[in-house]
Amino acid sequence: MPPLVLVAPAAFKGTLGPRQVAEALAAGVRRAAPTATVLQCPVADGGNGLLDVVLPTGSLRERLEVTGPIGDKVSAELGWIDGETAIIESASACGLALVEPEDRHPMRTTTRGVGELIWTAADRGARTIVVGLGGTATVDGGTGAARGLGWTFENAAGEPLPEGGGSLTDLASFGPGWGLASRVVALADVATPLVGPDGAAPVFGPQKGARAEEIPQLAAGLANLANLWAQSGHPELASRPMGGAAGGLGAGLAYFAKAELVAGADWVLERAGFDAALAKADLVITAEGIFDRTSLVGKAPGEVVRRAQAAKKRVAVVAGRAEGLIGVHTVAGDADGRMLDLRALTQMAEQVAREALRL
């Protein structure tokens, strides 16, 4: 009986969208096994590629001008699942890709544009707003997004607080926003809490451009913010899983927008009908640019691997670079982790299908 192969890749950040990757992998599988049935189920977890995965072809996708991570205007995307459900990627408003390497400075970068997108969606009639949290250039605890929703922040002298994570140590009080009637669902790609040794600042600060000597100040600022939340009746936000996603934007949206924090991979896979397809599959192939141990803690490709293994299915990973994986059939690019093009992905998928299906 011809095999059924389930192809479920994520985006390759900055180069290829999840649907492009899925098509390239499917082409490779068909070269190896021309009679195979190939199901494409591109995945995301709240980061790059979320709108491409969730929105059907022809869905309304708007470009809106909002405040970017360093304060200039950027063109961000607002998508519509239906007339009452909007969806955004935080990275389109404050993503790391929007900031040149020399300007990556989470002491000053802001999530304000995310709040502006949320407010615009609500103003246009969205009753539910889904916010993907991955890939931001920020560690501001969501205070920037709150500003986009009308909240104000002051120091002990009653002066407005500068934007960014670096000023949060001076935060003494905040004033309420405009009042958001919409339900907000925040999709996290990590389980990281806001504060602590494994909190947002030490875990994500370096990759967002923070220098070693700035990490303690960012961590202290988030702890100060969490303390103010505790004083107003929400002590749980300091240690809540997923609160540290996007440099604390997860916890910030939970407080300032009453958001529900949800594991992004679970949310996307459920919408995509992944488990039903998995039940029929003989082989599952997932992919992402860099697949390592962190991929197995909240990332969509890691969740694909986990579910496939739990279902006792053959599973394989195609990646630009793979590190520290045991018990997972992997085909990776060069050791330098260079980005793969579509042709290379097709060749690697052909190889992994031949090996996994013993052709």
Side-chain angles (χ1 to χ4, degrees):
M1 184 174 179
L4 190 150
V5 181
L6 175 59
V7 172
F12 278 43
K13 291 182 181 178
T15 56
L16 300 169
R19 294 191 184 278
Q20 289 177 293
V21 178
E23 289 171 1
L25 297 181
V29 171
R30 293 189 182 101
R31 284 186 191 175
T35 62
T37 298
V38 183
L39 298 181
Q40 296 183 40
C41 182
V43 297
D45 46 36
N48 188 256
L50 176 65
L51 267 62
D52 288 342
V53 167
V54 172
L55 295 179
T57 302
S59 297
L60 177 61
R61 297 173 67 155
E62 307 176 73
R63 303 299 306 192
L64 302 173
E65 187 177 83
V66 300
T67 303
I70 60 176
D72 56 347
K73 293 298 182 181
V74 299
S75 176
E77 196 166 24
L78 170 64
W80 292 88
I81 296 174
D82 55 49
E84 296 185 341
T85 309
I87 184 167
I88 66 176
E89 293 178 20
S90 294
S92 76
C94 61
L96 202 59
L98 299 175
V99 187
E100 295 297 330
E102 62 271 16
D103 294 326
R104 293 176 181 174
H105 197 14
M107 300 286 280
R108 296 195 300 264
T109 48
T110 177
T111 55
R112 181 187 281 265
V114 176
E116 293 170 350
L117 281 174
I118 292 172
W119 186 257
T120 299
D123 188 55
R124 294 187 179 182
R127 300 185 67 177
T128 299
I129 303 168
V130 180
V131 184
L133 297 180
T136 72
T138 55
V139 188
D140 72 353
T143 53
R147 286 180 168 94
L149 297 171
W151 291 76
T152 58
F153 298 86
E154 299 83 27
N155 62 20
E159 300 166 336
L161 205 69
E163 302 212 26
S167 66
L168 292 179
T169 51
D170 295 327
L171 177 62
S173 63
F174 45 77
W178 300 315
L180 184 68
S182 305
R183 169 183 176 235
V184 177
V185 178
L187 306 182
D189 59 350
V190 295
T192 307
L194 182 69
V195 301
D198 297 318
V203 171
F204 301 125
Q207 73 187 47
K208 298 173 190 291
R211 297 188 294 271
E213 63 271 19
E214 294 171 337
I215 300 298
Q217 183 176 344
L218 288 170
L222 293 178
N224 181 43
L225 178 62
N227 183 55
L228 290 172
W229 288 340
Q231 292 175 24
S232 63
H234 291 276
E236 77 284 354
L237 291 179
S239 57
R240 185 173 178 177
M242 299 182 283
L249 179 57
L253 289 179
Y255 184 86
F256 298 117
K258 297 181 173 59
E260 304 167 36
L261 289 180
V262 176
D266 290 344
W267 187 90
V268 172
L269 291 178
E270 181 178 354
R271 285 188 64 86
F274 176 82
D275 288 341
L278 175 64
K280 304 173 184 177
D282 298 294
L283 170 65
V284 181
I285 302 175
T286 189
E288 70 173 331
I290 299 175
F291 197 100
D292 57 21
R293 294 186 186 280
T294 67
S295 301
L296 300 172
V297 189
K299 303 289 187 182
E303 182 62 15
V304 168
V305 170
R306 189 193 70 77
R307 294 189 185 201
Q309 290 178 327
K312 295 181 169 51
K313 303 290 184 175
R314 282 176 283 185
V315 59
V317 172
V318 171
R321 185 171 81 236
E323 301 172 352
L325 298 180
I326 299 175
V328 179
H329 189 96
T330 307
V331 176
D334 295 341
D336 63 3
R338 65 179 175 83
M339 285 299 174
L340 302 174
D341 58 20
L342 294 173
R343 181 179 178 183
L345 285 170
T346 298
Q347 292 172 341
M348 293 166 75
E350 180 180 4
Q351 176 188 341
V352 81
R354 290 187 185 280
E355 293 172 354
L357 296 172
R358 299 181 178 85
L359 299 175

